[in-house]
Amino acid sequence: MEAQGLSKWFYLGIVGIVIGAVMIYRAHGNNKSKAMENGYLLFILGWVGVISEFTDFATVLLVFIVVSGIVLILDKFKWSKARGHGDAKPHYVHYSREFFPVVLAVWVLRAFLFEAYQIPSSSMRPDLTVGDFILVSKFDYGIRMPISNQTVIPVHEVARGDIVVFQDQNVRNRDLIKRVVGLPGDTLEYKNKHLIINGKPLDYTSDGSYDYSEQGENGPMIIHNERQIEDLLGVKHPIIIWDRLPPVVLEMVQDFPGKENCSYNNDGFICKVPAGQYFMMGDNRDNSLDSRYWGFVPDKSILGKAIYVWMNFKDLSRIGTKIQ
């Protein structure tokens, strides 16, 4: 895997930090001035851009909570005692007090309860379409520790058929969404675009066709798919198949941990899912980069279960659609 350079957001963050610091300096400690407010906004957004280059957004929020919390503690037990009666608080104390409860509330909500994502690709069609804003339950699989994502209070186990959001195993600070088709210990066979799980062939029912537009090399193209209902050992859901592609594009299969558990051929693959890991596939079976190509997903990478579509600005009828 090639090394990745720093993104434009890192450099824009540096610019924001510098400009924000200059504006804060030129405000001369006036907490109520627009220059001070805008300066702190740029300063904080700049640090978000810089820190996000190396970690996820939840950790960025945690950093701000810790820093602002330390400032408030120092002010309460040390700095406030050195100020004269009636003296205004320093600007860094004033804005720490303003930001701390807001950032803490957002962090708790995102870390333990719910998080919003937007669907960027067609890999989960027909159920999820480009532009869907989805709500993901962070506590469905239990309370997890921030940063490490280790489960400390189990609630439900990840189930076959769940649509889950998880950390990309190859790209830093990127999350993916797929359907769980293989649980720890399962033997999966994908033959002629049909799944066989632990020796049991799944049932498939034809359900008409499904067409959508996708950007191709020469501009937009209409992809004509066969729509089927897949019975994933009790979980029935639609999938789409494009007859122009093979079950697996062999030259796209990467090296990944546990690849020795898999064997590939022109008809598909056979994989034994390792303990503590899952096999993910997109419902758009011929337009999805998933576990066929980059491998298994460990439990600690699971971020939550997708539950609802809460907005799609191009198709308001999708608001409130339950994800299943």
Side-chain angles (χ1 to χ4, degrees), residues 6-46:
L6 296 173
S7 73
K8 64 179 180 180
W9 300 111
F10 176 87
Y11 297 106
L12 287 174
I14 295 294
V15 173
I17 291 170
V18 172
I19 295 176
V22 171
M23 293 177 69
I24 292 169
Y25 175 78
R26 297 188 65 179
H28 302 297
N30 184 357
N31 293 336
K32 296 183 179 180
S33 72
K34 279 293 181 184
M36 183 70 80
E37 291 180 8
N38 293 333
Y40 262 97
L41 179 61
L42 278 174
F43 188 75
I44 289 173
L45 288 177

Coordinates of all heavy atoms in Angstrom, one line a residue, residues 6-46:
L6 N -0.2 14.3 3.2 CA -1.2 15.0 3.9 C -2.2 15.6 3.0 O -1.9 16.0 1.9 CB -0.4 16.1 4.7 CG 0.6 15.7 5.7 CD1 1.4 16.8 6.3 CD2 -0.1 14.9 6.8
S7 N -3.5 15.7 3.5 CA -4.6 16.2 2.7 C -4.6 17.7 2.7 O -3.9 18.4 3.5 CB -5.9 15.6 3.2 OG -6.3 16.3 4.4
K8 N -5.5 18.3 1.8 CA -5.6 19.7 1.8 C -6.2 20.3 3.1 O -5.9 21.4 3.4 CB -6.5 20.1 0.6 CG -8.0 19.6 0.7 CD -8.8 20.0 -0.5 CE -10.3 19.5 -0.3 NZ -11.1 19.9 -1.5
W9 N -7.0 19.4 3.8 CA -7.6 19.9 5.0 C -6.5 20.2 6.1 O -6.7 21.1 6.9 CB -8.6 18.9 5.5 CG -9.7 18.7 4.6 CD1 -9.9 17.5 3.8 CD2 -10.7 19.6 4.1 NE1 -11.0 17.7 3.0 CE2 -11.5 19.0 3.2 CE3 -11.0 20.9 4.5 CZ2 -12.6 19.6 2.5 CZ3 -12.0 21.6 3.9 CH2 -12.8 20.9 2.9
F10 N -5.4 19.4 6.0 CA -4.3 19.7 7.0 C -3.7 21.1 6.7 O -3.5 21.9 7.7 CB -3.2 18.6 6.8 CG -2.0 18.9 7.7 CD1 -2.0 18.4 9.0 CD2 -0.9 19.5 7.2 CE1 -0.9 18.6 9.8 CE2 0.2 19.7 8.0 CZ 0.2 19.3 9.3
Y11 N -3.5 21.4 5.5 CA -2.9 22.7 5.2 C -3.8 23.8 5.4 O -3.5 24.9 5.8 CB -2.3 22.7 3.7 CG -1.2 21.6 3.5 CD1 -1.5 20.4 2.9 CD2 0.0 21.8 4.1 CE1 -0.5 19.5 2.7 CE2 1.0 20.9 3.9 CZ 0.8 19.7 3.3 OH 1.7 18.8 3.1
L12 N -5.1 23.6 5.0 CA -6.1 24.6 5.3 C -6.3 24.8 6.8 O -6.5 26.0 7.3 CB -7.5 24.2 4.7 CG -7.6 24.3 3.2 CD1 -8.9 23.7 2.8 CD2 -7.5 25.8 2.8
G13 N -6.1 23.8 7.6 CA -6.1 23.9 9.1 C -5.0 24.8 9.6 O -5.2 25.6 10.5
I14 N -3.8 24.6 9.0 CA -2.7 25.4 9.4 C -3.0 26.9 9.1 O -2.7 27.8 10.0 CB -1.4 25.0 8.7 CG1 -1.0 23.6 9.1 CG2 -0.2 26.0 8.9 CD1 -0.5 23.4 10.5
V15 N -3.5 27.1 8.0 CA -3.9 28.5 7.6 C -4.9 29.1 8.6 O -4.8 30.2 9.1 CB -4.4 28.6 6.2 CG1 -5.0 30.0 5.9 CG2 -3.3 28.2 5.2
G16 N -5.9 28.3 8.9 CA -6.9 28.7 9.9 C -6.4 29.0 11.3 O -6.8 30.0 11.9
I17 N -5.4 28.2 11.7 CA -4.8 28.4 13.0 C -4.0 29.7 13.0 O -4.2 30.5 14.0 CB -3.8 27.2 13.4 CG1 -4.7 26.0 13.6 CG2 -3.0 27.6 14.6 CD1 -3.8 24.7 13.7
V18 N -3.3 30.0 12.0 CA -2.5 31.2 11.9 C -3.4 32.4 11.9 O -3.2 33.4 12.6 CB -1.5 31.1 10.7 CG1 -0.8 32.5 10.5 CG2 -0.5 30.0 10.9
I19 N -4.3 32.4 10.9 CA -5.2 33.6 10.8 C -6.0 33.8 12.1 O -6.2 34.9 12.6 CB -6.2 33.4 9.6 CG1 -5.4 33.4 8.3 CG2 -7.2 34.5 9.6 CD1 -6.2 33.1 7.1
G20 N -6.5 32.7 12.7 CA -7.3 32.8 13.9 C -6.5 33.4 15.0 O -6.9 34.2 15.8
A21 N -5.2 32.9 15.2 CA -4.3 33.4 16.2 C -4.1 34.9 16.0 O -4.0 35.7 17.0 CB -3.0 32.6 16.2
V22 N -3.9 35.4 14.8 CA -3.7 36.8 14.5 C -4.9 37.6 14.9 O -4.8 38.7 15.6 CB -3.3 37.0 13.1 CG1 -3.3 38.5 12.7 CG2 -2.0 36.4 12.7
M23 N -6.1 37.1 14.6 CA -7.3 37.8 14.9 C -7.5 37.9 16.4 O -8.0 38.9 17.0 CB -8.5 37.1 14.3 CG -8.5 37.2 12.7 SD -9.9 36.3 12.0 CE -11.3 37.4 12.5
I24 N -7.2 36.8 17.1 CA -7.3 36.8 18.6 C -6.3 37.8 19.2 O -6.7 38.5 20.1 CB -7.0 35.4 19.2 CG1 -8.1 34.4 18.7 CG2 -6.9 35.4 20.7 CD1 -7.8 32.9 19.0
Y25 N -5.1 37.8 18.7 CA -4.1 38.8 19.2 C -4.6 40.2 19.0 O -4.5 41.1 19.9 CB -2.8 38.5 18.5 CG -1.7 39.5 18.9 CD1 -1.0 39.4 20.1 CD2 -1.4 40.6 18.0 CE1 -0.1 40.3 20.4 CE2 -0.4 41.5 18.3 CZ 0.2 41.4 19.5 OH 1.2 42.3 19.9
R26 N -5.1 40.5 17.8 CA -5.5 41.9 17.5 C -6.8 42.3 18.2 O -7.2 43.5 18.2 CB -5.7 42.0 16.0 CG -4.4 41.8 15.2 CD -4.6 42.1 13.7 NE -4.8 43.5 13.5 CZ -4.9 44.1 12.3 NH1 -4.9 43.3 11.2 NH2 -5.2 45.3 12.2
A27 N -7.5 41.3 18.8 CA -8.7 41.7 19.5 C -8.4 42.3 20.9 O -9.3 42.8 21.6 CB -9.7 40.5 19.7
H28 N -7.1 42.2 21.3 CA -6.7 42.8 22.6 C -7.5 42.3 23.8 O -7.8 43.1 24.7 CB -6.6 44.3 22.5 CG -5.8 44.8 21.4 ND1 -4.4 44.6 21.3 CD2 -6.2 45.5 20.2 CE1 -4.0 45.2 20.2 NE2 -5.0 45.7 19.5
G29 N -7.9 41.1 23.8 CA -8.5 40.5 25.0 C -10.0 40.9 25.2 O -10.6 40.6 26.2
N30 N -10.6 41.5 24.1 CA -12.0 41.9 24.2 C -12.9 40.6 23.9 O -13.1 40.3 22.7 CB -12.3 43.0 23.2 CG -13.8 43.5 23.3 OD1 -14.6 42.9 24.1 ND2 -14.1 44.5 22.6
N31 N -13.4 40.0 24.9 CA -14.2 38.8 24.7 C -15.4 38.9 23.8 O -15.9 37.9 23.2 CB -14.6 38.2 26.0 CG -13.4 37.7 26.9 OD1 -12.3 37.4 26.3 ND2 -13.6 37.7 28.2
K32 N -16.0 40.1 23.8 CA -17.2 40.3 23.1 C -17.1 40.8 21.7 O -18.1 41.1 21.0 CB -18.1 41.3 23.9 CG -18.5 40.7 25.3 CD -19.5 41.7 26.0 CE -19.9 41.1 27.4 NZ -20.8 42.0 28.1
S33 N -15.9 41.0 21.3 CA -15.6 41.6 19.9 C -15.8 40.5 18.9 O -15.6 39.3 19.1 CB -14.2 42.2 19.8 OG -13.3 41.2 19.8
K34 N -16.3 40.9 17.7 CA -16.5 40.0 16.6 C -15.1 39.4 16.1 O -15.0 38.2 15.7 CB -17.1 40.7 15.4 CG -18.6 40.8 15.5 CD -19.3 39.4 15.4 CE -20.8 39.5 15.6 NZ -21.4 38.1 15.6
A35 N -14.1 40.2 16.2 CA -12.8 39.7 15.8 C -12.3 38.6 16.7 O -11.8 37.6 16.2 CB -11.7 40.8 15.9
M36 N -12.6 38.6 18.0 CA -12.3 37.6 18.9 C -13.1 36.3 18.6 O -12.6 35.2 18.6 CB -12.5 38.0 20.4 CG -12.1 37.0 21.4 SD -10.3 36.7 21.5 CE -9.9 38.2 22.5
E37 N -14.4 36.5 18.4 CA -15.3 35.4 18.2 C -14.9 34.6 16.9 O -14.7 33.4 16.9 CB -16.7 35.8 18.1 CG -17.3 36.3 19.4 CD -18.8 36.8 19.2 OE1 -19.3 36.6 18.1 OE2 -19.3 37.3 20.1
N38 N -14.7 35.4 15.8 CA -14.3 34.8 14.6 C -12.9 34.2 14.6 O -12.6 33.2 14.0 CB -14.4 35.9 13.4 CG -15.8 36.3 13.2 OD1 -16.8 35.5 13.4 ND2 -16.0 37.5 12.7
G39 N -12.0 34.9 15.4 CA -10.7 34.3 15.5 C -10.7 33.0 16.2 O -10.0 32.1 15.7
Y40 N -11.5 32.8 17.3 CA -11.5 31.5 17.9 C -12.2 30.5 17.1 O -11.8 29.3 17.1 CB -12.3 31.7 19.3 CG -11.3 31.8 20.4 CD1 -11.0 33.1 21.0 CD2 -10.7 30.7 21.0 CE1 -10.1 33.2 22.0 CE2 -9.8 30.8 22.1 CZ -9.5 32.0 22.6 OH -8.7 32.2 23.6
L41 N -13.2 30.9 16.3 CA -13.8 30.0 15.4 C -12.8 29.4 14.4 O -12.7 28.2 14.1 CB -15.0 30.6 14.7 CG -15.8 29.8 13.7 CD1 -16.4 28.6 14.4 CD2 -16.9 30.6 13.0
L42 N -12.1 30.3 13.7 CA -11.0 29.9 12.8 C -10.0 29.1 13.5 O -9.5 28.0 12.9 CB -10.4 31.1 12.1 CG -11.2 31.7 10.9 CD1 -10.5 33.0 10.5 CD2 -11.3 30.7 9.8
F43 N -9.6 29.5 14.6 CA -8.5 28.8 15.4 C -8.9 27.3 15.7 O -8.1 26.4 15.5 CB -8.2 29.6 16.7 CG -7.0 29.1 17.4 CD1 -5.7 29.4 17.0 CD2 -7.1 28.3 18.6 CE1 -4.6 28.9 17.7 CE2 -6.0 27.9 19.3 CZ -4.8 28.2 18.9
I44 N -10.1 27.2 16.1 CA -10.6 25.8 16.5 C -10.8 25.0 15.3 O -10.4 23.8 15.2 CB -11.9 25.9 17.3 CG1 -11.6 26.5 18.7 CG2 -12.6 24.6 17.5 CD1 -12.8 26.8 19.6
L45 N -11.4 25.6 14.2 CA -11.6 24.8 13.0 C -10.3 24.4 12.4 O -10.2 23.3 11.8 CB -12.5 25.6 12.0 CG -13.9 25.8 12.3 CD1 -14.6 26.7 11.3 CD2 -14.7 24.5 12.4
G46 N -9.3 25.3 12.5 CA -8.0 24.9 12.0 C -7.4 23.7 12.7 O -6.9 22.8 12.1

